[in-house]
Amino acid sequence: LAAARTGLYRSADAGTHFAKVLAGRVTDLVQDPKNPSRFLAVLESATLADTNTGLFESLDDGLTWHRLGNLGTGGLPTPIQWGRAAVAFAPAPSRTVYIAIAAYIPEGPTLFRSLDDGATWAVHQNNSRRGYTGVGFYGAHLDVPSDFALYQANGNSILISRDGGTAWQPAGGNWHLDTHGIATHPLNSNRMVLATDGGVAVSTDGGASFQRVDRGFPTVQLYTCAIGLRASSSLFGGTQDNAMTIYRGAAGDAWEFSHPPRRGDITGISVHPNRPEEIVALTSEALGLGISVDEGQTWQSTRNSIPTGTAFPWIARLARSPLHPQQLYLGQGTFLNISTNGGRDWEATLRIRQSDDPTLSIVEVAVSPSPAVDGELWTIWTDGKVLVSFDGGLSWQDRSPPGGARAGMRISAGPTPGTAYAALSGTTGARLFRTRDHGATWQDISRDLPELPLNAVLADPRAAGRLFVATDAGVAFSQDDGATWQDASGALPNAVVLDFCLDPVSGRLAAATYGRGLWELKSPPPCQPDATTLCLNNNRFEVKATWATTTSSGVGQARPLTADTGYFWFFDPANVEAVVKVIDGCGVNQSFWTFAGGLTNVQAVLTVRDTLTGGVKTYTNPQGRAFQPIQDVDAFPSCNVPSNATAADNAPIPSSRAVSGSSLLLNEDRFKVDVTWEIPDGTKGTGVPVALTSDTGYFWFFAPGNVEMVIKVLRGCGVNGSYWVFAGGLTNVKTVLKVTDTVTGKVRTYVNPQSTSFQPIQDVDAFAVCH
């Protein structure tokens, strides 16, 4: 038997199938210790006019139910007067039953007692008499370990009676507020355990005092989270009853508390990506809304700019535009509040949808601005509707997925235009949907997901088709746009996950759990480098190479050089065959550029994939032709994600090979290589050498992260009695390459003209002296 807000459900096959056997809001369910087939269930009023409430009894293992008690005639209250309630049997063989009701009656919350197994009832104690303060509307639990001992966890306190419920006193000790469960050890009545919103507390003196025993064990309940950007380890958690918790990398993993304006549960946190000390936070029902410019040390309220009298759901959500970080959104019933100055002021609300349904006035609205298209906003509602705007919220269109009226959980816009992912309520079947055409059609991608509730979906803005889904038992991950799923929970406990937070620059990903704290996940990068794969420019671009001769073919073996450059070898690790660079040219023409040069004349195919958009560019050099330079400055016109490359990232990979001043020494230091460069305005300079292998190295001109020219001096004496010079360039400035044979003094000079793509050099007669 499973009690829920929507009714009581029964399974006769160990939980494989369930059927609703009692409709209504069930707040408690107990089994008669004298008769295992007998159950009592309590239903509370959904509204003051709700008559489907009261105490119900089943005598056939929960199959059928009937109302119990002499209602309105000196016994239990009439149905419309019921609030939350808790019921408990005294131990067998006693026929005493207690029920505590937060009843809507003049006497207030009342404890009723039956001495005849629930046939008749009488008021036993009520509000404020002899220490009895009743039950809370959001939490109540009775434990009756003996005929005289009664313990009540009533939401915000603990009450204890040792005279059968006549006189009461509060429990002492250290325990967290919001008490929801209490139990006594069956063999030792002095030992009790208490379940609260902050974890577990234990009493060894019959409830006279409690001590928390959850220290060192994560029990925090989180609604939301955010990645701190000021330090590489900082995290922010929006909690229930624990305000905002902040981890800044302190010794002992210590967390600190931060209290945005008007204390309460924190349901929304947003960190400004360009000003990491600036944070906006939101409390439950949006009663508190504020901004901090010192990373949570102090706060300024910005709630006053929202119209007074505005009703918000308990979990109100914030969203920040990834394209315009100063723009934030706050869902509110049928409206959307927008701030264009980082959350300091909020504009007049924009009506998203017209509705006469009063329940939509305070529904939860999840908002997801597109990271790919300016002005594209996605919203999902608690009635399952999906509405999208293409003009920044001025107008809206209903683009709901199929499935009928089910609660909408979360929505996430993908990194390519028109893509979004919507999670609906339910435990089986179609409940996660994908659209690639702005919501015109939706595809069910729920297959392979566990048969559990889905609480949130996150489309990785760094890579098209990479999805994370929060479930009631961890995290599911897909890297093929939902075609297949795998468990990505790792060390994460088997816990309810309610939210994700991701920093697209660093790739840090965290999961907010309900009751097991905040966990940082090891998120794989969009591109994962391996023996045949280069990952360039903040892991955004995946580069592979294949080769073919007239008799064989193979896959290029990858070697990274800098953050945006790498090379491939085909036949021998000492050979550098092709060098590839992906440059961020967004400041010039809003595109990423592909430059490549080769030191080979076999067929070579380079494939560059933008993991963010899924775009692919392929470059082929034909068999028997010197590798032609690639300078594609329109390769990937998509500049949505900032690069996080640092000076350290761009530093050349250290080498033990020899360099001498501005010269590169190759082939057992016999050949000295020098390069000079000149740009159109007459500025000149000398290339800086970096050795790679015994016969290969490269030069950079303008910055250590730039690979401008790659050169190889090969011993071809067994073929034609000569040393060969191969060179390829990733530049179009004027270059002069000078190779000196230090044994004979012979010099070879190669000039590439100004504003001309570097022409490959394959000089197999360079030095015809092999001694």
Side-chain angles (χ1 to χ4, degrees), residues 202-249:
V202 168
S203 173
T204 58
D205 54 14
S209 63
F210 282 86
Q211 296 298 321
R212 295 185 65 170
V213 295
D214 48 46
R215 303 303 187 188
F217 183 79
T219 59
V220 177
Q221 303 173 35
L222 289 114
Y223 291 109
T224 189
C225 63
I227 300 293
L229 304 180
R230 198 171 186 180
S232 60
S233 59
S234 60
L235 290 167
F236 299 86
T239 76
Q240 176 175 340
D241 291 341
N242 284 284
M244 179 190 291
T245 56
I246 304 176
Y247 176 68
R248 305 186 196 273

Side-chain angles (χ1 to χ4, degrees), residues 306-351:
I306 294 178
T308 59
T310 300
F312 284 86
W314 178 261
I315 300 179
R317 298 194 182 279
L318 281 171
R320 188 185 294 268
S321 168
L323 301 181
H324 304 286
Q326 283 288 88
Q327 197 151 295
L328 284 96
Y329 304 90
L330 172 58
Q332 171 226 329
T334 57
F335 293 87
L336 186 69
N337 297 281
I338 299 179
S339 173
T340 57
N341 61 0
R344 291 167 175 80
D345 300 287
W346 293 85
E347 297 178 3
T349 54
L350 300 174
R351 182 174 288 278

Side-chain angles (χ1 to χ4, degrees), residues 226-308:
I227 300 293
L229 304 180
R230 198 171 186 180
S232 60
S233 59
S234 60
L235 290 167
F236 299 86
T239 76
Q240 176 175 340
D241 291 341
N242 284 284
M244 179 190 291
T245 56
I246 304 176
Y247 176 68
R248 305 186 196 273
D253 294 335
W255 289 70
E256 63 186 71
F257 290 101
S258 179
H259 297 279
R262 190 171 179 124
R263 294 190 177 192
D265 300 353
I266 306 299
T267 62
I269 307 172
S270 181
V271 180
H272 197 299
N274 301 330
R275 295 194 288 271
E277 68 282 352
E278 187 173 304
I279 306 169
V280 177
L282 181 73
T283 67
S284 56
E285 298 181 305
L287 296 175
L289 177 62
I291 187 169
S292 172
V293 295
D294 54 13
E295 208 180 19
Q297 304 289 346
T298 61
W299 293 88
Q300 175 187 353
S301 175
T302 62
R303 180 65 171 81
N304 292 336
S305 59
I306 294 178
T308 59

